Amino acid sequence: MNVSRRWLEGCLRRPLDATEVAARLAMLGVTCDAIEPLHPGLEQVVVGLVESVAPHPNADRLRVCQVFDGTPERRHVVCGAPNVTAGSKYPFARVGVTLPGGVTLERRKIRGELSEGMLCSARELGLGQEHDGILELQTGAAPGTPLLEVLPVDDDRLVLDVTPNRPDLLGHKGIARELAHGYGVPLRLPEIPGAPVTGLGTLRRVETRRAEVAGVTVGTDDPAGCRRFTAVVIKGVKIGPSPAWLSDRLQAAGVRSISNVVDVTNYVMLELNHPMHAYDLAQLHGPAIVARRAQPGERLTTLDGTLRELSPSMTVIADQARAVGVGGVMGAANTEVTAATTDLLIECAWFDPAATRRTRKALALATDASYRFERGVDLWGLPEAQRRAAELILATAGGQVVDAVDVWPEPTAPPRIFLRVARVALVLGESLPVECMERYLVAVGCTVLHKPEDARLAVEVPGWRPDLRAEIDLIEEIARLHGYDNFPTELRPYRVGRLGDSVLDRAVTRVREGLAALGWFEAQSIPLGPEPGPGGVKLLNPLSSEEAWLRQRVLPGLERAVETNWSRQVRDIRLFEIGTVFRGSESGGRPFETLRVAGVLTGARAPAHWSAGAAVDDMDLWDLKACFAAAVALANPAADVQVEAGGWVARLGEDLIGHAERLGLAPPAWAAPVFGFELDLNPEGRAPLRYQALPTTPGAWRDLNLVLTLEVTAAHTARVIRRAAGPLLESVEVVSDFRSEQLGSDRRAVQFRLRLRGADRTVRDEEVDQAVSRVLKAVEKELDARLRTS
Amino acid sequence: MADSDELRGRLAALETELVHIPSLDPRGLEAAEVRLLGRKQGALTEILKLLPGLPPDQRRTVGGEANRLKQVLEAAVVARKAELAQAATAAAARGLDLTMPGRLRHGGGVHPVTTVVEEIVAIFHGLGFARAGGPEAETEWYNFGALNFPPDHPAMDLHDTLYLDIPDRRGPAERRRNRSSGVASDFERRDLSDRREREQGRWLLRTHTSPVQIRVLQQEPPPVRVVIPGWVYRKDTFDASHAPVFAQIEGLAVDEGITFVDLKATLSHFAREFFGARTSVRFRPSFFPFTEPSAEMDVSCGVCGGKGCPACKGTGWMEILGAGMVHPTVLANCGVDPERYTGFAFGMGPGRIALNRYGIPDIRLLYEGDMRFLQQFGLRAPGELA
């Protein structure tokens, strides 16, 4: 909502500072996104009196003027305007002044004649497009008077962010009402220059669906969509441009001036939040103008020149022959007011908010009117809007009111709400005097009746506040007008809740911190992507086909991150992400959501260091395996890592819950292979940590370099060793894996390191020897493995 | 029988050795230590061995002197040893360039938005709030209807919603009734006792974490105090200041006697904990369908300290969170008696807070996984020359 500071000043009859107004409104719940000064740069322009005009000696079209600008010295000014006349006053810009267009005036010679300043046209002052001549000022003000005192055009536009519950703030009167309370001034409508003394008076109320007004049939055949319909007939108007004050007002509010009558309807909308429409009476068939449902297949060319297909769920305004407007949304070109129009029918009606919203969505046609009807205009305020419009039309276009009617088949009274005085403190935590509550409610336009017998207030809500529907709404108004900052902020005792922390969320934190401690960085990616495969969940209204599906795996997002890093010459990448993946349920209904952990790794195993000539090995499959195992231990502690199908998987019982592999991404020549893993996050089955007694006896170790066939795995060999060595064996580690021609292509030598220890005594050499020989016997028998002899 | 005077004489002679100790070289020091303090044949040991031969009163005085001397000598030896060790290190270090970079390990780190989320959650933990969560795919009922969004209301325009292509299970009559209505109009308030009924309405990606309020209140009777971090979705084109997915933190406190003062106090406390003790806080009226009274909380701009700067658009304030007293209709929708219980709720965007706090100019940086970006917020020793 664009608000003019001057318009507000007209309502409050006091000068306002735009910044201060914005600050006050912010604390009342309306934020101001911007303050735009209008017509800036006119402060230094003054009234200049042209005392004499002489021809320019060297140019036919130029004149040399003597200008009195209030200072003792007269100024020589060369002027090209055809309308410059001695004895007239014009806006004068002295040397040194910068005009709104950015031009700074200098003393200079024009065709040999000195010019000290400029007599300005409206366009040069940013006040209009007219450039035919300089702007003659009809003023008694003395030369040298600041122009802004003669032409009060300077204004500020406040761009307000109005929340959808407050339609009343879509009009200047509503904004002014909010401010009036704080300033302690009454709220009135601005005076209209040239307004008639007697205006429209009351409208003839009719409680049927149809009525006649000056021979025109008007009304509503669709009381659900259009509950109330008012019409005023004004004859003998003269369509023309609006007076400057009116076009200035509209311009300040961001609306282009079109013609006096159209401008008036826009003015009333911007002042009172009542969209209205002016019809050319001569163009109405019947003549009639009624609200009704659209007929199947009915079409209408709206004012924007688009032919629109209507449906019977939409309310239209129609004459006897055809639709002439989409109710609450937009009028049609066929009955538009034109320069030839002399007789008007002004329609101001109430359209159902939800229906208007559905219609404008169906037509994809959002207008200032639909914006307001969707939010709710004042059902009880239509006559005031008509009176204001009539006053403005008579003042700007002349003519005479012939008749006015108010068709309201089922009149209702504004709602009444009961407010329990004690409830206010229960919600707000602060006891306020009841007089105080009453004052606040009256300030927003409520009528308050005391019901002392049961400590309640009966509150009649004004029609412009459709958001006030229940007691809690009134409590909010009391808090708002009291000022949120005026409530205390001391912490009071509270009870903690029954719910404990979510186990899953705690696990996520643990996994995240664990992976970060292992040298990984957490990434967060957009969980939308292209079709992920069977079971994918699709969006109905995606932003693009590339983001039309919910992800089923986290890894693809990290692969995209790897490519992003590569595109920026980043080679060493260690990323993980914890996020939700989605899978459709076969029966429809809720999609399955699973939390997953994924990681990618590529590039140097450690930061390069000069001590090794800055040479570092790249990460390989074995880095992946360790990372995967660590991630499984953190994220799914009950699962096991297994070798399967040439890679590693994690299984929880029978369920496959994760895998690790070299990824198919093709690295650029300077980058390294990429590895990745992904697994379910499931904290269940995490064994509680238990202390294990530290050994108190010295241990012994032996290395066994075993020649194994290629079919025999290290894990299998270790199992055989463990079983054969007996209880003294503490651990088995792999020290090396050696292959050579000498061993043959089907064998390798794997060196195992066995650590042995007695639980309560020092292990004896003979015991170690016996264990080793048991191991050697067993591996030879079971694995055909023997000690390597060098 | 030992002679105490003789022993005193020997002690005095040993004492003269003290002056030499600070100038001994390592070998000389070692020899002196053995000669004077040696446990088997050291001069002092020899003297101590003779003490039992003295009469008891002399034994005490001479013994005392001998022990004092022993301590002094030992201290002198230790001091000289330290001196020599230091000199040795310094000598070894000559030729070592200590500005050369140290040997680093790969550091890791959590995402800056996570850091913000965890800090916020920790502060509310301290105020008795537990951490809760809920699904990201929701029904219109949970995302809008239960939260008092009226059907076909402009409040919906603030929530550009991504809908899921999942068939709904309503009867054809009901579908027909709603066909003409626009987006987001299809839910209606339903009988809360029937879970299946409640699950109806179209499927969507939650536009805020507020549906979890409903789930928590349905699950547990008050008192309830929870914070709910999570991802939310909007149909927003990905640009410098909008992302289709972003983090949000919701908070909810419901009990008997909770008031607007509690809301202000709790959130002011949070703001001072999070943004610093000298942060100013203000509350402005606002509008959310699911709270009333509704408020926005601003904190004094961290860049200019409240004087006004481009970061705060000259206002001196930063908008941080939306909050309000839980609307009675929302409580009733969850089966909580709004006459008996009141509560407050709040929501904020940790992503936006992270952008502000770290001066990140473009929200897309949060989603790219650029290592250089993430490393700025992780554990990393500086590898530069110093």
Side-chain angles (χ1 to χ4, degrees):
Chain A
M1 171 71 189
N2 293 325
V3 169
S4 148
R5 168 178 54 78
R6 279 195 171 274
W7 204 327
L8 295 177
E9 285 173 348
C11 295
L12 298 173
R13 307 286 202 278
R14 57 159 288 158
L16 298 172
D17 174 77
T19 312
E20 203 239 357
V21 166
R24 280 173 182 256
L25 288 175
M27 297 316 282
L28 286 164
V30 191
T31 46
C32 179
D33 290 337
I35 298 173
E36 297 164 1
L38 302 173
H39 306 308
L42 297 182
E43 297 80 8
Q44 292 172 285
V45 178
V46 296
V47 174
L49 172 68
V50 173
E51 290 181 332
S52 66
V53 177
H56 191 290
N58 306 322
D60 289 346
R61 296 226 178 113
L62 297 180
R63 249 77 65 85
V64 181
C65 310
Q66 180 117 318
V67 177
F68 176 40
D69 68 351
T71 57
E73 282 182 37
R74 297 296 185 266
R75 313 281 173 186
H76 282 276
V77 177
V78 176
C79 178
N83 64 333
V84 63
T85 318
S88 291
K89 292 173 186 166
Y90 304 97
F92 178 64
R94 297 182 183 120
V95 168
V97 168
T98 303
L99 289 175
V103 178
T104 302
L105 294 170
E106 292 168 17
R107 183 188 307 273
R108 62 189 183 112
K109 285 200 169 166
I110 299 174
R111 296 271 188 111
E113 284 292 313
L114 184 70
S115 189
E116 307 170 289
M118 185 160 104
L119 295 163
C120 308
S121 69
R123 184 156 132 188
E124 282 152 352
L125 297 174
L127 296 177
Q129 290 307 307
E130 273 175 59
H131 198 42
D132 294 343
I134 52 179
L135 181 66
E136 186 170 344
L137 300 171
Q138 308 289 350
T139 174
T145 306
L147 176 70
L148 290 177
E149 287 181 20
V150 178
L151 275 185
V153 292
D154 67 311
D155 199 350
D156 293 288
R157 178 187 296 153
L158 289 91
V159 182
L160 300 182
D161 188 3
V162 174
T163 52
N165 59 327
R166 292 295 304 273
D168 60 312
L169 301 183
L170 300 173
H172 282 74
K173 187 183 182 188
I175 301 283
R177 184 184 296 110
E178 292 281 291
L179 293 167
H181 172 71
Y183 284 121
V185 296
L187 171 69
R188 280 172 293 184
L189 291 183
E191 276 166 26
I192 304 301
V197 183
T198 50
L200 173 56
T202 45
L203 283 73
R204 184 158 42 89
R205 169 83 71 81
V206 176
E207 295 185 6
T208 53
R209 290 188 173 193
R210 291 200 174 194
E212 293 274 314
V213 57
V216 185
T217 306
V218 298
T220 171
D221 292 350
D222 174 23
C226 173
R227 209 180 285 176
R228 189 177 182 184
F229 189 105
T230 67
V232 174
V233 172
I234 301 176
K235 290 191 173 173
V237 299
K238 189 171 182 304
I239 305 296
S242 286
W245 73 264
L246 178 54
S247 55
D248 272 1
R249 277 285 141 84
L250 293 184
Q251 201 193 335
V255 172
R256 202 162 48 89
S257 171
I258 293 165
S259 69
N260 45 12
V261 168
V262 174
D263 286 1
V264 164
T265 59
N266 282 331
Y267 180 96
V268 174
M269 178 179 79
L270 294 170
E271 188 169 85
L272 301 176
N273 188 38
H274 278 287
M276 52 201 333
H277 196 76
Y279 296 92
D280 184 342
L281 200 53
Q283 303 300 321
L284 292 178
H285 293 258
I289 187 99
V290 289
R292 61 161 168 82
R293 289 296 183 95
Q295 285 148 8
E298 192 167 6
R299 290 171 167 206
L300 173 69
T301 302
T302 42
L303 271 174
D304 58 354
T306 310
L307 180 66
R308 296 178 186 276
E309 183 103 22
L310 307 175
S311 83
S313 66
M314 300 173 182
T315 304
V316 295
I317 306 293
D319 65 13
Q320 202 147 39
R322 68 219 160 133
V324 298
V326 181
V329 181
M330 193 180 260
N334 49 20
T335 52
E336 209 179 344
V337 170
T338 65
T341 302
T342 58
D343 299 342
L344 301 170
L345 185 141
I346 310 292
E347 165 252 296
C348 184
W350 187 94
F351 295 98
D352 180 70
T356 305
R357 181 178 164 84
R358 288 193 294 266
T359 299
R360 77 96 174 142
K361 283 206 157 215
L363 294 176
L365 180 62
T367 62
D368 285 339
S370 71
Y371 192 82
R372 288 171 163 80
F373 283 118
E374 261 185 52
R375 283 157 176 74
V377 305
D378 181 359
L379 177 61
W380 293 270
L382 303 183
E384 187 199 358
Q386 283 285 21
R387 275 192 291 273
R388 187 67 168 165
E391 181 186 15
L392 282 151
I393 288 173
L394 299 189
T396 61
Q400 271 195 317
V401 175
V402 175
D403 198 3
V405 71
D406 173 5
V407 180
W408 198 1
E410 293 161 35
T412 51
R416 174 184 281 198
I417 307 170
F418 290 98
L419 173 70
R420 293 166 295 171
V421 170
R423 187 73 189 167
V424 178
L426 281 177
V427 174
L428 299 182
E430 180 86 331
S431 293
L432 299 173
V434 71
E435 300 75 42
C436 192
M437 298 179 191
E438 186 178 345
R439 199 168 65 242
Y440 295 147
L441 292 172
V442 168
V444 300
C446 295
T447 309
V448 179
L449 299 165
H450 285 273
K451 306 262 289 178
E453 67 280 7
D454 54 0
R456 291 192 301 172
L457 299 180
V459 180
E460 237 165 58
V461 170
W464 60 81
R465 290 298 301 272
D467 60 315
L468 303 184
R469 280 177 307 194
E471 182 184 55
I472 192 69
D473 302 316
L474 301 179
I475 294 174
E476 178 174 61
E477 286 307 290
I478 290 167
R480 199 169 67 85
L481 279 259
H482 188 64
Y484 282 8
D485 277 350
N486 293 322
F487 288 88
T489 53
E490 94 261 1
L491 274 174
R492 295 173 179 175
Y494 58 83
R495 294 199 287 179
V496 295
R498 295 165 196 269
L499 277 177
D501 271 343
S502 136
V503 176
L504 196 59
D505 278 6
R506 265 196 185 173
V508 167
T509 305
R510 195 171 53 237
V511 173
R512 185 190 285 135
E513 283 168 2
L515 291 173
L518 288 169
W520 296 57
F521 287 93
E522 185 192 13
Q524 295 175 347
S525 50
I526 302 287
L528 304 171
E531 181 164 6
V537 180
K538 195 178 181 201
L539 303 188
L540 265 184
N541 55 340
L543 286 155
S544 73
S545 61
E546 284 303 292
E547 294 184 334
W549 297 75
L550 282 167
R551 67 180 169 194
Q552 246 175 339
R553 297 192 309 139
V554 178
L555 209 39
L558 291 178
E559 291 182 271
R560 284 197 293 275
V562 168
E563 283 172 334
T564 302
N565 276 286
W566 280 342
S567 74
R568 298 166 186 183
Q569 284 88 48
V570 177
R571 185 180 185 279
D572 302 337
I573 304 163
R574 302 173 313 284
L575 295 174
F576 73 94
E577 178 169 359
I578 303 173
T580 307
V581 298
F582 301 81
R583 193 161 47 77
S585 129
E586 273 166 31
S587 57
R590 172 169 293 290
F592 295 106
E593 296 183 25
T594 316
L595 261 184
R596 306 209 96 198
V597 189
V600 286
L601 56 151
T602 175
R605 184 171 295 146
H609 193 246
W610 52 269
S611 59
V616 192
D617 287 340
D618 283 332
M619 287 185 278
D620 59 20
L621 271 178
W622 307 110
D623 296 281
L624 171 66
K625 184 180 184 187
C627 288
F628 183 51
V632 171
L634 279 166
N636 211 321
D640 296 314
V641 175
Q642 297 172 4
V643 175
E644 216 170 279
W648 296 290
V649 298
R651 282 190 184 275
L652 185 62
E654 290 294 297
D655 295 338
L656 185 71
I657 57 96
H659 72 286
E661 65 191 358
R662 180 172 171 172
L663 302 179
L665 289 179
W670 47 266
V674 190
F675 305 91
F677 67 82
E678 175 154 355
L679 71 148
D680 287 353
L681 195 154
N682 175 6
E684 283 168 35
R686 194 164 75 109
L689 276 176
R690 296 283 301 169
Y691 162 76
Q692 291 185 317
L694 300 175
T696 53
T697 55
W701 59 269
R702 292 288 166 83
D703 277 359
L704 302 183
N705 200 354
L706 300 178
V707 177
L708 306 174
T709 58
L710 292 187
E711 292 77 48
V712 176
T713 65
H716 186 187
T717 312
R719 277 198 297 278
V720 173
I721 292 173
R722 259 187 227 111
R723 199 180 58 235
L728 288 178
L729 184 75
E730 193 177 65
S731 66
V732 184
E733 295 153 37
V734 175
V735 178
S736 67
D737 180 346
F738 179 77
R739 300 173 197 230
S740 73
E741 275 177 32
Q742 203 188 341
L743 286 169
S745 62
D746 58 343
R747 287 182 196 266
R748 60 179 179 152
V750 180
Q751 187 170 345
F752 293 89
R753 179 160 297 166
L754 283 59
R755 296 184 187 276
L756 301 100
R757 194 191 299 275
D760 51 1
R761 59 187 173 78
T762 305
V763 64
R764 292 196 309 276
D765 280 353
E766 310 86 79
E767 291 174 307
V768 175
D769 291 341
Q770 283 161 13
V772 165
S773 73
R774 280 199 303 276
V775 166
L776 290 176
K777 255 188 217 138
V779 297
E780 180 162 11
K781 185 170 166 225
E782 293 180 35
L783 308 174
D784 189 24
R786 53 185 168 74
L787 265 186
R788 183 175 180 220
T789 49
S790 47
Chain B
M1 190 76 178
D3 179 344
S4 68
D5 289 341
E6 192 226 323
L7 292 186
R8 281 213 177 83
R10 283 165 71 175
L11 284 174
L14 283 183
E15 200 164 354
T16 63
E17 299 272 353
L18 261 178
V19 295
H20 303 299
I21 293 174
S23 53
L24 292 173
D25 63 11
R27 193 175 297 176
L29 185 66
E30 205 183 325
E33 193 178 3
V34 171
R35 181 163 52 80
L36 298 173
L37 296 164
R39 246 194 286 176
K40 285 183 180 163
Q41 286 172 343
L44 206 57
T45 313
E46 293 291 321
I47 293 169
L48 291 171
K49 275 187 197 158
L50 293 173
L51 283 181
L54 290 179
D57 54 334
Q58 291 178 11
R59 192 190 306 158
R60 205 174 305 118
T61 52
V62 176
E65 281 171 39
N67 273 320
R68 262 195 305 282
L69 182 61
K70 186 183 176 200
Q71 279 169 15
V72 174
L73 283 170
E74 278 173 352
V77 168
V78 166
R80 180 60 184 155
K81 272 187 182 166
E83 233 172 72
L84 290 169
Q86 210 179 345
T89 313
R94 281 189 65 197
L96 248 191
D97 176 1
L98 296 179
T99 70
M100 295 285 273
R103 190 174 283 118
L104 296 176
R105 286 162 176 254
H106 274 324
V110 298
H111 196 278
V113 173
T114 299
T115 305
V116 170
V117 169
E118 292 301 320
E119 276 182 40
I120 292 170
V121 170
I123 292 167
F124 283 103
H125 247 161
L127 291 164
F129 287 77
R131 186 197 284 253
E136 294 173 28
E138 276 292 6
T139 56
E140 287 181 314
W141 166 256
Y142 277 101
N143 198 70
F144 293 123
L147 289 160
N148 196 34
F149 281 75
D152 285 318
H153 192 269
M156 299 288 193
D157 294 347
L158 306 174
H159 291 247
D160 266 338
T161 308
L162 288 167
Y163 285 88
L164 297 177
D165 189 3
I166 294 173
D168 69 21
R169 285 179 291 187
R170 284 169 305 162
E174 198 172 356
R175 268 204 299 279
R176 209 176 309 119
R177 178 142 47 91
N178 286 318
R179 196 174 46 192
S180 62
S181 48
V183 173
S185 66
D186 286 8
F187 65 84
E188 284 168 357
R189 198 170 297 164
R190 290 165 211 286
D191 178 8
L192 280 162
S193 60
D194 185 340
R195 187 181 164 82
R196 274 176 55 94
E197 280 286 301
R198 251 187 289 119
E199 290 272 331
Q200 288 177 1
R202 288 191 292 172
W203 286 95
L204 48 78
L205 291 167
R206 66 180 178 192
T207 58
H208 46 182
T209 40
S210 308
V212 189
Q213 286 186 24
I214 306 298
R215 295 186 173 278
V216 167
L217 285 175
Q218 285 176 340
Q219 189 189 332
E220 275 296 323
V224 159
R225 272 171 100 82
V226 288
V227 275
I228 305 147
W231 293 101
V232 301
Y233 298 75
R234 298 279 170 94
K235 195 184 173 190
D236 269 336
T237 307
F238 207 8
D239 63 22
S241 48
H242 298 90
V245 185
F246 53 94
Q248 198 171 70
I249 294 188
E250 189 86 7
L252 175 71
V254 176
D255 197 0
E256 292 171 7
I258 289 191
T259 70
F260 188 64
V261 171
D262 297 311
L263 176 157
K264 279 192 69 182
T266 306
L267 296 177
S268 301
H269 176 85
F270 157 73
R272 285 190 300 271
E273 288 277 306
F274 188 83
F275 296 101
R278 286 194 296 178
T279 304
S280 317
V281 177
R282 72 171 187 183
F283 290 82
R284 288 180 288 108
S286 188
F287 167 69
F288 308 104
F290 42 100
T291 54
E292 185 135 23
S294 298
E296 302 258 6
M297 185 178 84
D298 297 341
V299 299
S300 47
C301 172
V303 178
C304 62
K307 286 192 278 292
C309 68
C312 56
K313 287 197 219 150
T315 62
W317 296 99
M318 295 278 208
E319 196 177 307
I320 291 301
L321 57 79
M325 299 300 293
V326 181
H327 198 288
T329 305
V330 174
L331 293 176
N333 284 348
C334 302
V336 174
D337 178 5
E339 283 294 301
R340 181 172 168 198
Y341 294 105
T342 48
F344 65 83
F346 56 89
M348 64 186 121
R352 212 153 283 284
I353 292 174
L355 297 189
N356 265 327
R357 174 197 262 197
Y358 301 116
I360 301 168
D362 189 325
I363 201 169
R364 286 171 291 199
L365 284 162
L366 300 177
Y367 299 87
E368 284 177 335
D370 188 318
M371 283 292 288
R372 300 162 305 171
F373 174 82
L374 297 170
Q375 276 168 332
Q376 294 182 19
F377 305 97
L379 306 162
R380 194 181 59 140
E384 290 76 32
L385 302 183

